[in-house]
Amino acid sequence: MTRPLANLQAAVVLLQGLHRQGLERVVLCPGSRSGPLALAAGGLARAGLLKLTTALDERSAAFLAVGSATASGRATAVITTSGTAVANLLPAAVEADRSSQPLLLLTADRPIRLKHCGANQTVNQEQFLQPVCRWCASGPDVGLDAASPPQLLQLAKQAWHQAHHWPGPVHLNLPFEEPLHPSAEQQAAFWSNWSPVQESIDCLESPPAGSASMAVASLPGPLAPELELDPDRPGVVVAGPWRGLADQRPAFEAALHRWQQRSGWPVLVDPLAAVPATLAGQVRCWDLLLPEQLPLPAGVAVNELQLLRLGPMPASRRLETWLQRCTGPHLLITEGEERSLDPLQCACQWSGGLARWPQIQLQANEACLPLPPVEPQPEADNAWSALWQQRDRRIAAWLEQRLPVRGGMSEPALMFALSRLLPPGLPLMLAASSPVRDWQAFAVADRGLRPCFSFRGASGIDGTLSLGLGLAAVLGRSLLITGDLALLHDSNGWLQAGHASGSGPLLILLIDNAGGGIFQQLPVPAAPAEAFEQLFAMPQKTDPLALAAAHGIATRQIACLDDLASALEWGLSQSGPALLRVCTDRQGDAALRTELRREVLEITMAPALESS
């Protein structure tokens, strides 16, 4: 067999092996050295084994893959050529690592004879992604065609396992020797005679000479939690952003239901948490009420209130302040994440997942036994929880009056209006800046009505548009809410949005406040005053509507809240991506947020509240 055909066959066997493990989607970036992988992906896509998306920008392609992997719960593969193409994968790999989402990065490389000798487009790319990958491996250093089919299938099996058992990115660096590309006639003959390899992936062979692999991060299984909580004593559940695989969510939700029903504890729910609207005990307006307006139970000291935290910390300084004051028993449960998720350093962390928490399992077992019913707690023990619910309802009703869906546009009013106008079940992505914080504070009518995503593993704004497109590729019609700088930062994502093979029915709602609105809300003084615009806000002159239109994207702009409902209907009726722009005043909105929080304090302290 000629070298070009041997390269193609090796690439096909590797990708077929990944498909047999569960790979469904591949994002392919252009390149010459990666030609065998490209031809293999194209052929397997024509055979119906893979869904293939092509992308020009490796950075955007990798974020697209993270989005689709998050939505599906299984890794998407990204194929790139050698050189700086590999370096462009790093931002998305960092996010996949920190948000614990599976990702496969397949990069073509030169053979060993061309390494470290100044050969064109040859760099130490095998090292670029090591710090953030669960596992890194290389094909034979003389070329991937030197590996036998069983060895390639074993490599695929290992890569898939490493990407999913503790979800995160895996890097396979794959050298290819020249000549790379079979002729059109050779390709046609290859595919006409092609049939799936029959070697069992359980028949292992040793790695071929010259290959290398490295487990960059490996964590042991979870031990039993050192701390138990007493459901018969006061406590609070803080449900943080969901950080697990999609198919784990139902068991998590069921376990949370069991604990809340048993304990009666109130639940502070992050909008990104895996919590349905039917969960009892939810406090929707906690971000506005903390830290002063949710008092501890009468007679319970700060070192006695129990805390059950689920997943990462929500994006709320007020919550952090409140948690620091509560020094009682504090258990943090993660879904397989053994790295610390406790920036306050005050919790006992257990990584086994809520559904496998021994106290939950005990409840599930006891539920099948003919035990006497649990005695209800005395009314006095529930008074504090009732007060929390009362204050929550009062603030939600007040927001409805304070932020009506009419008149001029403000960011708090926009979020409150969207929580009432969006169709239930519509997937929503929030850019990891002001939008996710404003949704948490003001979209109080939306808790649990839809799957919400915000990629806060590393909390960067890079890749925002591409992440949204990746979600929509799997979930169907979706909405992305983003600021102007976050959208512009991923302007190459428009290449994907306008590309038939990569576009999904995504409506992008752009909140254009002429710069970095998040900095307007933070204590970032600058002298002289105009330096704030130059050094922090950084307003840009790019017309976002014109930029989107240049990529064939349908666009519309609205000026007031009265037009929001019809604009949403227009955007969600488009067959592909669409851009809806609203303009806001970041200085005015920063002042409005402060004013709203001051008014919340006045309302909760009013005597009428306690007697209503």
Side-chain angles (χ1 to χ4, degrees):
M1 181 182 294
T2 65
R3 175 61 60 76
L5 283 176
N7 284 332
L8 175 57
Q9 176 171 288
V12 168
V13 172
L14 178 64
L15 288 181
Q16 184 198 341
L18 289 170
H19 168 71
R20 289 169 63 175
Q21 295 298 313
L23 179 67
E24 294 180 347
R25 297 174 182 272
V26 173
V27 185
L28 170 67
C29 301
S32 175
R33 187 63 54 170
S34 55
L37 290 167
L39 295 174
L44 294 177
R46 290 191 299 272
L49 299 185
L50 297 175
K51 297 177 181 178
L52 179 63
T53 298
T54 56
L56 291 180
D57 185 316
E58 290 86 3
R59 179 174 164 276
S60 294
F63 277 111
L64 182 80
V66 174
S68 63
T70 300
S72 67
R74 58 179 61 194
T76 294
V78 182
I79 295 174
T80 79
T81 192
S82 58
T84 58
V86 183
N88 279 294
L89 302 175
L90 180 58
V94 169
E95 179 58 39
D97 168 40
R98 289 294 156 177
S99 62
S100 294
Q101 296 301 324
L103 180 66
L104 291 173
L105 305 170
L106 312 183
T107 61
D109 199 0
R110 263 66 174 167
I112 189 64
R113 68 178 182 83
L114 295 177
K115 302 284 279 190
H116 313 297
C117 61
N120 179 53
Q121 203 172 321
T122 303
V123 295
N124 58 328
Q125 63 185 56
E126 66 278 2
Q127 301 174 2
F128 288 174
L129 307 176
Q130 285 181 4
V132 297
C133 281
R134 299 291 186 268
W135 191 64
C136 296
S138 293
D141 56 19
V142 295
L144 193 66
D145 63 303
S148 68
Q151 289 169 337
L152 292 169
L153 294 174
Q154 173 64 7
L155 180 62
K157 181 180 180 180
Q158 287 182 297
W160 189 262
H161 171 73
Q162 295 288 349
H164 292 83
H165 89 281
W166 174 32
V170 162
H171 179 202
L172 297 184
N173 194 60
L174 307 172
F176 286 96
E177 181 57 274
E178 301 174 4
L180 298 168
H181 311 298
S183 67
E185 293 76 12
Q186 289 175 318
Q187 293 178 47
F190 174 87
W191 289 111
S192 65
N193 296 317
W194 174 78
S195 61
V197 293
Q198 300 301 318
E199 289 89 339
S200 170
I201 55 178
D202 295 322
C203 298
L204 308 184
E205 287 192 11
S206 301
S211 66
S213 64
M214 178 181 63
V216 176
S218 180
L219 296 175
L223 301 174
E226 299 176 1
L227 177 66
E228 289 192 0
L229 301 178
D230 185 352
D232 294 319
R233 296 177 55 247
V236 176
V237 179
V238 178
W242 171 251
R243 190 168 293 176
L245 296 179
D247 59 3
Q248 298 171 336
R249 290 180 66 132
F252 173 92
E253 293 176 4
L256 181 54
H257 267 294
R258 286 201 298 273
W259 181 257
Q260 202 286 325
Q261 290 171 353
R262 173 63 182 84
S263 67
W265 290 2
V267 186
L268 310 185
V269 180
D270 186 286
L272 309 177
V275 175
T278 55
L279 179 71
Q282 294 190 52
V283 179
R284 298 175 296 167
C285 301
W286 59 265
D287 190 67
L288 293 172
L289 290 164
L290 289 175
E292 305 293 346
Q293 284 72 57
L294 293 179
L296 297 184
V300 176
V302 293
N303 64 346
E304 296 175 327
L305 184 70
Q306 302 174 99
L307 294 171
L308 174 59
R309 270 187 52 210
L310 305 175
M313 182 74 72
S316 171
R317 295 286 186 185
R318 295 165 187 83
L319 177 62
E320 291 186 17
T321 299
W322 184 77
L323 289 174
Q324 285 176 316
R325 296 177 184 176
C326 300
T327 57
H330 187 161
L331 177 62
L332 167 60
I333 297 179
T334 68
E335 301 300 309
E337 175 62 87
E338 295 206 13
R339 296 172 297 191
S340 176
L341 295 183
D342 183 29
L344 306 181
Q345 300 183 13
C346 60
C348 171
Q349 181 169 325
W350 186 65
S351 64
L354 183 64
R356 296 184 298 277
W357 183 27
Q359 286 189 256
I360 287 287
Q361 292 295 324
L362 181 62
Q363 292 175 47
N365 293 335
E366 289 180 346
C368 301
L369 301 177
L371 298 176
V374 177
E375 291 294 329
Q377 291 182 331
E379 184 175 344
D381 292 346
N382 288 323
W384 70 281
S385 182
L387 176 60
W388 282 28
Q389 299 293 322
Q390 183 186 43
R391 291 191 172 186
D392 183 52
R393 290 191 298 270
R394 177 72 177 272
I395 296 305
W398 168 76
L399 281 174
E400 188 169 353
Q401 301 299 318
R402 186 64 172 80
L403 300 174
V405 189
R406 61 178 183 272
M409 188 71 65
S410 73
E411 293 175 32
L414 175 63
M415 294 301 183
F416 187 82
L418 287 169
S419 72
R420 303 185 65 190
L421 294 175
L422 293 176
L426 177 74
L428 171 66
M429 177 184 158
L430 302 154
S433 189
S434 289
V436 69
R437 291 171 170 83
D438 281 343
W439 191 263
Q440 180 172 271
F442 303 112
V444 296
D446 192 68
R447 294 296 187 266
L449 294 180
R450 69 192 70 256
C452 288
F453 304 89
S454 185
F455 291 85
R456 297 191 52 78
S459 295
I461 63 169
D462 41 350
T464 296
L465 176 56
S466 298
L467 286 163
L469 290 167
L471 289 171
V474 176
L475 300 176
R477 193 170 309 282
S478 306
L479 174 68
L480 164 64
I481 303 177
T482 178
D484 50 316
L485 293 192
L487 186 62
L488 189 58
H489 197 282
D490 190 25
S491 58
N492 270 7
W494 287 125
L495 293 168
Q496 205 58 39
H499 190 346
S501 73
S503 59
L506 178 69
L507 173 59
I508 301 101
L509 177 58
L510 166 61
I511 303 173
D512 192 342
N513 53 29
I518 187 65
F519 299 111
Q520 207 76 44
Q521 306 171 50
L522 302 175
V524 217
E530 58 269 18
F532 179 87
E533 295 293 301
Q534 177 190 14
L535 302 178
F536 295 100
M538 299 186 188
Q540 304 294 309
K541 295 182 178 180
T542 304
D543 181 347
L545 298 181
L547 181 60
H551 291 84
I553 305 300
T555 66
R556 181 176 288 191
Q557 180 160 343
I558 62 172
C560 61
L561 288 167
D562 307 71
D563 298 331
L564 181 59
S566 60
L568 290 171
E569 183 179 359
W570 165 82
L572 294 173
S573 68
Q574 302 298 309
S575 59
L579 175 65
L580 178 61
R581 181 196 193 192
V582 299
C583 293
T584 59
D585 176 0
R586 57 181 152 86
Q587 291 92 347
D589 283 344
L592 175 59
R593 293 181 183 94
T594 301
E595 177 66 14
L596 290 171
R597 292 186 182 279
R598 184 190 63 78
E599 293 177 13
V600 167
L601 176 60
E602 294 176 353
I603 292 170
T604 54
M605 299 307 292
L609 175 65
E610 312 305 339
S611 60
S612 60

Short mmCIF file of all heavy atoms in Angstrom, two decimals, residues 6-40:
data_model
loop_
_atom_site.label_atom_id
_atom_site.label_comp_id
_atom_site.label_asym_id
_atom_site.label_seq_id
_atom_site.Cartn_x
_atom_site.Cartn_y
_atom_site.Cartn_z
N ALA A 6 -1.90 4.59 3.07
CA ALA A 6 -1.68 4.11 4.44
C ALA A 6 -2.04 5.20 5.45
O ALA A 6 -2.62 4.91 6.52
CB ALA A 6 -0.23 3.68 4.62
N ASN A 7 -1.71 6.45 5.13
CA ASN A 7 -2.10 7.56 6.00
C ASN A 7 -3.62 7.66 6.12
O ASN A 7 -4.17 7.84 7.21
CB ASN A 7 -1.54 8.88 5.47
CG ASN A 7 -0.05 9.04 5.72
OD1 ASN A 7 0.49 8.49 6.69
ND2 ASN A 7 0.63 9.79 4.86
N LEU A 8 -4.29 7.57 4.97
CA LEU A 8 -5.74 7.66 4.98
C LEU A 8 -6.36 6.50 5.77
O LEU A 8 -7.27 6.71 6.59
CB LEU A 8 -6.26 7.65 3.54
CG LEU A 8 -7.79 7.63 3.37
CD1 LEU A 8 -8.44 8.81 4.08
CD2 LEU A 8 -8.16 7.59 1.89
N GLN A 9 -5.84 5.31 5.57
CA GLN A 9 -6.41 4.16 6.28
C GLN A 9 -6.22 4.31 7.79
O GLN A 9 -7.14 4.02 8.58
CB GLN A 9 -5.76 2.87 5.81
CG GLN A 9 -6.25 1.64 6.59
CD GLN A 9 -5.78 0.35 5.99
OE1 GLN A 9 -6.25 -0.06 4.93
NE2 GLN A 9 -4.82 -0.30 6.66
N ALA A 10 -5.04 4.78 8.23
CA ALA A 10 -4.79 4.95 9.66
C ALA A 10 -5.75 5.97 10.26
O ALA A 10 -6.30 5.77 11.36
CB ALA A 10 -3.35 5.36 9.90
N ALA A 11 -5.96 7.06 9.52
CA ALA A 11 -6.87 8.09 10.02
C ALA A 11 -8.30 7.57 10.10
O ALA A 11 -9.03 7.87 11.05
CB ALA A 11 -6.80 9.32 9.11
N VAL A 12 -8.70 6.79 9.11
CA VAL A 12 -10.06 6.24 9.12
C VAL A 12 -10.25 5.28 10.29
O VAL A 12 -11.28 5.32 11.00
CB VAL A 12 -10.36 5.51 7.79
CG1 VAL A 12 -11.63 4.68 7.88
CG2 VAL A 12 -10.48 6.52 6.65
N VAL A 13 -9.27 4.43 10.54
CA VAL A 13 -9.39 3.47 11.64
C VAL A 13 -9.48 4.21 12.98
O VAL A 13 -10.29 3.85 13.84
CB VAL A 13 -8.20 2.49 11.63
CG1 VAL A 13 -8.21 1.62 12.89
CG2 VAL A 13 -8.25 1.62 10.39
N LEU A 14 -8.67 5.25 13.15
CA LEU A 14 -8.70 6.00 14.41
C LEU A 14 -10.06 6.66 14.62
O LEU A 14 -10.66 6.55 15.70
CB LEU A 14 -7.59 7.05 14.42
CG LEU A 14 -7.54 7.94 15.66
CD1 LEU A 14 -7.23 7.12 16.91
CD2 LEU A 14 -6.53 9.06 15.49
N LEU A 15 -10.56 7.33 13.59
CA LEU A 15 -11.85 8.00 13.73
C LEU A 15 -12.99 7.00 13.88
O LEU A 15 -13.95 7.23 14.62
CB LEU A 15 -12.11 8.91 12.53
CG LEU A 15 -11.25 10.18 12.46
CD1 LEU A 15 -11.61 11.00 11.24
CD2 LEU A 15 -11.42 11.02 13.72
N GLN A 16 -12.89 5.89 13.18
CA GLN A 16 -13.92 4.86 13.34
C GLN A 16 -13.90 4.29 14.76
O GLN A 16 -14.94 4.01 15.36
CB GLN A 16 -13.73 3.74 12.33
CG GLN A 16 -14.84 2.69 12.40
CD GLN A 16 -14.45 1.39 11.74
OE1 GLN A 16 -13.53 1.36 10.95
NE2 GLN A 16 -15.15 0.32 12.07
N GLY A 17 -12.68 4.14 15.31
CA GLY A 17 -12.58 3.68 16.69
C GLY A 17 -13.22 4.65 17.66
O GLY A 17 -13.91 4.24 18.60
N LEU A 18 -13.04 5.94 17.43
CA LEU A 18 -13.69 6.94 18.29
C LEU A 18 -15.20 6.90 18.11
O LEU A 18 -15.96 7.04 19.09
CB LEU A 18 -13.15 8.33 17.96
CG LEU A 18 -11.70 8.60 18.39
CD1 LEU A 18 -11.20 9.91 17.81
CD2 LEU A 18 -11.59 8.61 19.91
N HIS A 19 -15.65 6.68 16.87
CA HIS A 19 -17.09 6.57 16.64
C HIS A 19 -17.67 5.38 17.39
O HIS A 19 -18.76 5.46 17.97
CB HIS A 19 -17.37 6.45 15.15
CG HIS A 19 -18.79 6.04 14.84
ND1 HIS A 19 -19.86 6.88 15.02
CD2 HIS A 19 -19.30 4.86 14.39
CE1 HIS A 19 -20.98 6.25 14.69
NE2 HIS A 19 -20.67 5.03 14.31
N ARG A 20 -16.95 4.27 17.39
CA ARG A 20 -17.43 3.08 18.10
C ARG A 20 -17.53 3.33 19.60
O ARG A 20 -18.32 2.72 20.30
CB ARG A 20 -16.50 1.90 17.81
CG ARG A 20 -16.64 1.39 16.38
CD ARG A 20 -15.54 0.42 16.01
NE ARG A 20 -15.54 -0.80 16.80
CZ ARG A 20 -14.72 -1.82 16.59
NH1 ARG A 20 -13.84 -1.76 15.59
NH2 ARG A 20 -14.77 -2.89 17.34
N GLN A 21 -16.73 4.26 20.11
CA GLN A 21 -16.80 4.61 21.53
C GLN A 21 -17.95 5.57 21.83
O GLN A 21 -18.40 5.66 22.97
CB GLN A 21 -15.49 5.26 21.98
CG GLN A 21 -14.29 4.34 21.92
CD GLN A 21 -14.45 3.15 22.85
OE1 GLN A 21 -14.82 3.30 24.01
NE2 GLN A 21 -14.18 1.96 22.33
N GLY A 22 -18.43 6.30 20.80
CA GLY A 22 -19.52 7.24 21.03
C GLY A 22 -19.39 8.57 20.34
O GLY A 22 -20.27 9.43 20.46
N LEU A 23 -18.31 8.80 19.59
CA LEU A 23 -18.12 10.07 18.90
C LEU A 23 -19.17 10.25 17.81
O LEU A 23 -19.37 9.36 16.98
CB LEU A 23 -16.72 10.13 18.28
CG LEU A 23 -16.39 11.42 17.50
CD1 LEU A 23 -16.31 12.61 18.44
CD2 LEU A 23 -15.09 11.25 16.71
N GLU A 24 -19.84 11.40 17.82
CA GLU A 24 -20.84 11.70 16.81
C GLU A 24 -20.49 12.92 15.98
O GLU A 24 -20.87 13.01 14.82
CB GLU A 24 -22.20 11.94 17.48
CG GLU A 24 -22.79 10.72 18.16
CD GLU A 24 -24.12 11.02 18.82
OE1 GLU A 24 -24.46 12.22 18.96
OE2 GLU A 24 -24.82 10.06 19.19
N ARG A 25 -19.78 13.88 16.57
CA ARG A 25 -19.56 15.17 15.91
C ARG A 25 -18.07 15.48 15.80
O ARG A 25 -17.30 15.26 16.74
CB ARG A 25 -20.26 16.30 16.68
CG ARG A 25 -21.77 16.14 16.71
CD ARG A 25 -22.44 17.18 17.59
NE ARG A 25 -23.87 16.97 17.63
CZ ARG A 25 -24.72 17.49 16.76
NH1 ARG A 25 -24.26 18.29 15.79
NH2 ARG A 25 -26.01 17.25 16.83
N VAL A 26 -17.70 16.01 14.64
CA VAL A 26 -16.33 16.42 14.36
C VAL A 26 -16.36 17.83 13.77
O VAL A 26 -17.17 18.12 12.89
CB VAL A 26 -15.63 15.46 13.38
CG1 VAL A 26 -14.26 15.99 12.97
CG2 VAL A 26 -15.50 14.07 13.98
N VAL A 27 -15.47 18.69 14.28
CA VAL A 27 -15.27 20.03 13.70
C VAL A 27 -13.91 20.02 13.04
O VAL A 27 -12.88 19.77 13.70
CB VAL A 27 -15.35 21.12 14.78
CG1 VAL A 27 -15.25 22.50 14.12
CG2 VAL A 27 -16.65 21.01 15.57
N LEU A 28 -13.89 20.28 11.75
CA LEU A 28 -12.66 20.18 10.94
C LEU A 28 -12.18 21.56 10.53
O LEU A 28 -12.94 22.35 9.96
CB LEU A 28 -12.93 19.32 9.70
CG LEU A 28 -11.83 19.29 8.63
CD1 LEU A 28 -10.60 18.58 9.17
CD2 LEU A 28 -12.35 18.64 7.37
N CYS A 29 -10.90 21.84 10.80
CA CYS A 29 -10.26 23.08 10.35
C CYS A 29 -9.33 22.77 9.18
O CYS A 29 -8.81 21.66 9.07
CB CYS A 29 -9.47 23.71 11.50
SG CYS A 29 -10.49 24.10 12.93
N PRO A 30 -9.09 23.75 8.29
CA PRO A 30 -8.32 23.46 7.07
C PRO A 30 -6.83 23.27 7.36
O PRO A 30 -6.29 23.80 8.32
CB PRO A 30 -8.57 24.70 6.21
CG PRO A 30 -8.82 25.80 7.20
CD PRO A 30 -9.55 25.15 8.33
N GLY A 31 -6.18 22.50 6.51
CA GLY A 31 -4.74 22.30 6.63
C GLY A 31 -4.27 21.22 5.69
O GLY A 31 -5.05 20.39 5.22
N SER A 32 -2.96 21.21 5.44
CA SER A 32 -2.37 20.21 4.55
C SER A 32 -1.91 19.00 5.34
O SER A 32 -2.24 17.86 5.00
CB SER A 32 -1.19 20.81 3.80
OG SER A 32 -0.54 19.81 3.03
N ARG A 33 -1.17 19.23 6.43
CA ARG A 33 -0.66 18.10 7.20
C ARG A 33 -1.80 17.26 7.76
O ARG A 33 -1.66 16.05 7.96
CB ARG A 33 0.23 18.62 8.33
CG ARG A 33 0.96 17.57 9.12
CD ARG A 33 1.96 16.75 8.31
NE ARG A 33 2.93 17.52 7.58
CZ ARG A 33 4.01 17.02 6.97
NH1 ARG A 33 4.24 15.71 7.02
NH2 ARG A 33 4.84 17.79 6.30
N SER A 34 -2.93 17.89 8.03
CA SER A 34 -4.08 17.17 8.55
C SER A 34 -4.95 16.58 7.44
O SER A 34 -6.06 16.09 7.70
CB SER A 34 -4.94 18.10 9.43
OG SER A 34 -5.31 19.26 8.70
N GLY A 35 -4.45 16.59 6.21
CA GLY A 35 -5.22 16.09 5.08
C GLY A 35 -5.77 14.69 5.26
O GLY A 35 -6.94 14.42 4.97
N PRO A 36 -4.96 13.72 5.73
CA PRO A 36 -5.52 12.37 5.92
C PRO A 36 -6.69 12.35 6.90
O PRO A 36 -7.67 11.63 6.68
CB PRO A 36 -4.32 11.59 6.47
CG PRO A 36 -3.12 12.30 5.92
CD PRO A 36 -3.50 13.75 5.93
N LEU A 37 -6.61 13.12 7.98
CA LEU A 37 -7.71 13.18 8.93
C LEU A 37 -8.94 13.83 8.30
O LEU A 37 -10.08 13.42 8.55
CB LEU A 37 -7.29 13.96 10.17
CG LEU A 37 -6.27 13.28 11.08
CD1 LEU A 37 -5.69 14.26 12.09
CD2 LEU A 37 -6.88 12.08 11.80
N ALA A 38 -8.71 14.86 7.46
CA ALA A 38 -9.83 15.53 6.79
C ALA A 38 -10.54 14.58 5.83
O ALA A 38 -11.77 14.49 5.82
CB ALA A 38 -9.33 16.77 6.06
N LEU A 39 -9.76 13.86 5.04
CA LEU A 39 -10.36 12.92 4.09
C LEU A 39 -11.10 11.81 4.82
O LEU A 39 -12.17 11.36 4.39
CB LEU A 39 -9.29 12.34 3.18
CG LEU A 39 -8.58 13.33 2.24
CD1 LEU A 39 -7.43 12.65 1.51
CD2 LEU A 39 -9.57 13.92 1.24
N ALA A 40 -10.55 11.36 5.94
CA ALA A 40 -11.20 10.31 6.72
C ALA A 40 -12.51 10.81 7.31
O ALA A 40 -13.54 10.12 7.25
CB ALA A 40 -10.27 9.84 7.83
#
